[in-house]
Amino acid sequence: PSCPGSTIPIKFSEKQQSSHYLYVREHKVREGTRSSWPQKRTLFVLNVPPYCTEECLSRLLSPCGPVQSVELQEKPELAESPKEPPSKFFHPKPVPGFQVAYVLFQKPGSVSAALALKGPLLVSTESHPVRSGVLKWIRDYTDSVPDPEALRVEVDAFMETYDRKIAEEEAKAKEEEGIPDDEGWVKVTRRGRRPVLPRTEAASLRVLERERRKRARKELLNFYAWQHRETKMEHLAQLRKKFEEDKQRIELMRAQRKFRPY
């Protein structure tokens, strides 16, 4: 459905002479279509520049009313879809280029106030500077280094949610097992098969070492005929040398009258 919109001019800083324009309108969807963003309180924003972060957009629109949340996306969402909580560890890369934004206000009147903004609004100010260039790269690199404890907490929370989801699916499948559907079909599962044991890092290293030794045994030690002949000649030379050494030692012991073979 068509709904009135407006443009909001913004500038990166006071030094910038030309303005960049945000295209805003109230977020609405067709009848019968569900959306994860509440209507009447959500502002849809187009043409958001890369230097305008979620914090910047929230600060620019805060004079219109308290902002509950801001989310930047690569393109508009077409229907409701389950959203995972954002993670700075597993989704660290921002969307390149211009983006769209959903701004959720706490009060419905804030949307009308945002549509009436004239601007221009400043993204980077003395009280709220926005880093760019090399300083931005340094900050992004610093933020990309994860905190081990925070990462562990997030991984544990994710695994708890995953285990709970798998347990619910198994319980649901067990309840539906053997029960025919509306057309009389019975769903057959593969839960009776022997589960695969999880492979730990130590077990994986043992398997790799075992495979390495097996490959080493299969390799040909003396591939060429001349290598085989040289190996035999070296072995005979070592035997002759050992025989001569033993012979000299026996002669020495006989001379010292210490040799008693019987």
Side-chain angles (χ1 to χ4, degrees):
S2 61
C3 57
S6 65
T7 59
I8 303 176
I10 65 171
K11 292 183 178 181
F12 180 78
S13 63
E14 293 181 352
K15 298 179 180 179
Q16 187 177 4
Q17 297 181 357
S18 59
S19 297
H20 178 86
Y21 291 89
L22 301 178
Y23 303 99
V24 297
R25 65 173 175 82
E26 182 183 349
H27 172 62
K28 290 185 177 181
V29 294
R30 295 184 178 90
E31 290 187 16
T33 305
R34 300 178 61 186
S35 175
S36 55
W37 295 100
Q39 299 190 44
K40 306 293 185 184
R41 294 192 297 120
T42 304
L43 184 71
F44 178 62
V45 186
L46 281 171
N47 206 30
V48 181
Y51 55 79
C52 188
T53 62
E54 296 174 350
E55 293 79 11
C56 293
L57 201 57
S58 176
R59 176 171 51 83
L60 293 178
L61 298 176
S62 59
C64 302
V67 178
Q68 182 173 332
S69 64
V70 179
E71 183 173 330
L72 293 173
Q73 296 183 3
E74 185 177 5
K75 54 186 178 180
E77 59 181 27
L78 301 178
E80 182 184 18
S81 57
K83 292 184 178 180
E84 298 180 358
S87 171
K88 64 179 180 180
F89 301 112
F90 299 103
H91 304 282
K93 294 183 179 180
V95 177
F98 290 84
Q99 306 168 78
V100 301
Y102 291 89
V103 183
L104 178 60
F105 292 96
Q106 294 183 4
K107 299 179 180 180
S110 301
V111 176
S112 302
L115 294 174
L117 280 176
K118 298 301 180 182
L121 307 178
L122 297 180
V123 176
S124 180
T125 60
E126 292 184 0
S127 57
H128 298 86
V130 176
R131 296 181 180 179
S132 60
V134 177
L135 295 178
K136 181 178 181 299
W137 294 345
I138 295 174
R139 184 196 61 186
D140 293 343
Y141 173 77
T142 305
D143 296 340
S144 67
V145 179
D147 179 20
E149 183 61 23
L151 179 60
R152 185 191 63 80
V153 171
E154 181 168 337
V155 170
D156 292 343
F158 175 83
M159 291 307 301
E160 288 178 3
T161 305
Y162 176 78
D163 293 340
R164 191 183 312 113
K165 179 182 177 182
I166 294 298
E168 292 175 356
E169 291 178 355
E170 290 181 352
K172 183 179 180 181
K174 190 174 182 181
E175 292 177 359
E176 297 177 353
E177 187 177 1
I179 301 177
D181 56 10
D182 298 337
E183 298 181 357
W185 293 94
V186 178
K187 184 177 180 181
V188 179
T189 61
R190 303 175 64 183
R191 292 190 300 107
R193 297 185 63 184
R194 183 179 178 183
V196 179
L197 295 176
R199 177 174 291 182
T200 61
E201 184 178 359
S204 301
L205 292 176
R206 287 197 298 269
V207 170
L208 292 175
E209 180 64 21
R210 194 181 306 118
E211 292 294 332
R212 188 190 64 79
R213 290 199 300 266
K214 184 186 293 185
R215 287 196 303 270
R217 286 196 301 268
K218 288 183 179 180
E219 291 179 355
L220 296 177
L221 182 61
N222 298 320
F223 184 77
Y224 297 102
W226 63 270
Q227 290 180 328
H228 192 60
R229 288 195 301 270
E230 283 191 357
T231 304
K232 282 188 174 180
M233 292 174 63
E234 290 179 0
H235 183 62
L236 290 174
Q238 291 177 0
L239 290 178
R240 290 193 185 97
K241 182 178 179 182
K242 188 173 183 302
F243 176 75
E244 293 295 333
E245 291 177 353
D246 292 343
K247 188 176 178 182
Q248 292 177 5
R249 187 167 56 254
I250 291 173
E251 292 294 337
L252 181 61
M253 293 173 65
R254 281 178 178 172
Q256 297 177 352
R257 301 181 179 274
K258 292 183 180 181
F259 178 67
R260 297 183 180 86
Y262 304 108

